[in-house]
Amino acid sequence: MRRGFICKKEILDKLKKIYDKIVEKEYNGNYLSAIQNFDTFAEATLRDNLLKFYKNQRSRDQAWKTCKGSLYEYAVFKVIEQIIIEDNELNSMFMVTMSDKDLYNYKDQVAIKNWTEIFPDADILIVEKNKNLVRVIISCKTSLRERLTETAFWKREIEKTKNEKILLIFMTTDKDDELKIDTNRYILLHVIDYTFITDRSKYTKLLESYKKKYGNREDFQKLISKVRFIADIKDFLHTL
């Protein structure tokens, strides 16, 4: 559910259209390939589109942080949507949604009820069609700061309050290498179900860092399997 400052709809719609054109022209319509370079062309090509909407540099920079985050959610959604549509088995089993209206339709499955309905950090849902059950909640962030602890909190609350098993998946570019921080490493390996990194170089460097510091631990191989590169997302969906 969306909270706080929201990217203006007209700006986000424009960014989505430009993104789709880039994917079609430069990546032959392959959203999985495109998202692996998201940070690069988002900063180089898409950011300047805010010039006509914000004349003030400070306002423009602040707006870009939110708009980029919303666009990243869209980019992740398009990857999963395309994979499901193009795979007959997955398409018969699952649907994916990210609209606020659709997310609200599943409030009974994802909301924490305590005096009021409190919604977790749910950007995208993967739903099992036959049972109309939410199987996966996806939280997307390009950069983390302290917000990964929020995702961890919701994972724990979902575990305590929901009868059905719902996986919580974290998607990120790991733009600022924040996953190397021990607090975040603990959350990835011991709290969140799976993490997918969409930048290959960041993924490779992160695993090298973890292996150097913790590779001799007995449970390392088991835990590190929870951190994956985005190219593995199709195989993961087939395990649901």
Side-chain angles (χ1 to χ4, degrees), residues 191-221:
V191 182
I192 296 172
D193 290 300
Y194 293 95
T195 296
F196 285 87
I197 300 170
T198 55
D199 184 305
R200 181 179 288 279
S201 65
K202 296 289 186 179
Y203 170 75
T204 300
K205 290 177 182 177
L206 180 66
L207 260 61
E208 289 174 349
S209 173
Y210 284 173
K211 187 174 182 178
K212 183 177 180 180
K213 293 180 70 176
Y214 308 107
N216 62 342
R217 302 292 176 127
E218 185 177 341
D219 55 353
F220 178 77
Q221 291 300 326

Side-chain angles (χ1 to χ4, degrees), residues 31-83:
Y31 284 93
L32 178 59
S33 296
I35 202 171
Q36 296 173 37
N37 294 312
F38 180 84
D39 264 325
T40 300
F41 67 72
E43 295 291 342
T45 306
L46 296 169
R47 184 170 187 157
D48 285 347
N49 286 278
L50 269 65
L51 284 168
K52 64 175 289 187
F53 297 98
Y54 299 93
K55 302 303 180 184
N56 180 276
Q57 179 71 44
R58 183 176 180 181
S59 297
R60 188 162 61 248
D61 290 345
Q62 183 62 40
W64 171 242
K65 292 178 183 178
T66 304
C67 290
K68 182 182 178 183
S70 296
L71 184 63
Y72 182 65
E73 294 170 15
Y74 175 75
V76 171
F77 169 78
K78 293 299 289 185
V79 168
I80 298 172
E81 180 187 53
Q82 187 173 61
I83 288 173

Side-chain angles (χ1 to χ4, degrees), residues 1-3 73 77 95-112 117-127 132 134 136-140:
M1 293 297 172
R2 305 295 180 263
R3 299 174 296 279
E73 294 170 15
F77 169 78
M95 62 164 282
V96 58
T97 182
M98 69 173 295
S99 73
D100 281 346
K101 180 180 179 181
D102 285 346
L103 294 177
Y104 193 77
N105 287 338
Y106 291 98
K107 65 177 182 177
D108 289 340
Q109 295 186 47
V110 300
I112 310 299
E117 293 173 333
I118 305 169
F119 290 92
D121 188 12
D123 298 317
I124 300 169
L125 301 180
I126 297 177
V127 180
N132 200 35
V134 175
V136 179
I137 293 174
I138 300 177
S139 175
C140 307

Side-chain angles (χ1 to χ4, degrees), residues 179-196:
L179 296 182
K180 294 179 181 178
I181 299 171
D182 263 345
T183 302
N184 291 333
R185 185 268 308 163
Y186 178 84
I187 292 172
L188 260 59
L189 300 186
H190 297 279
V191 182
I192 296 172
D193 290 300
Y194 293 95
T195 296
F196 285 87

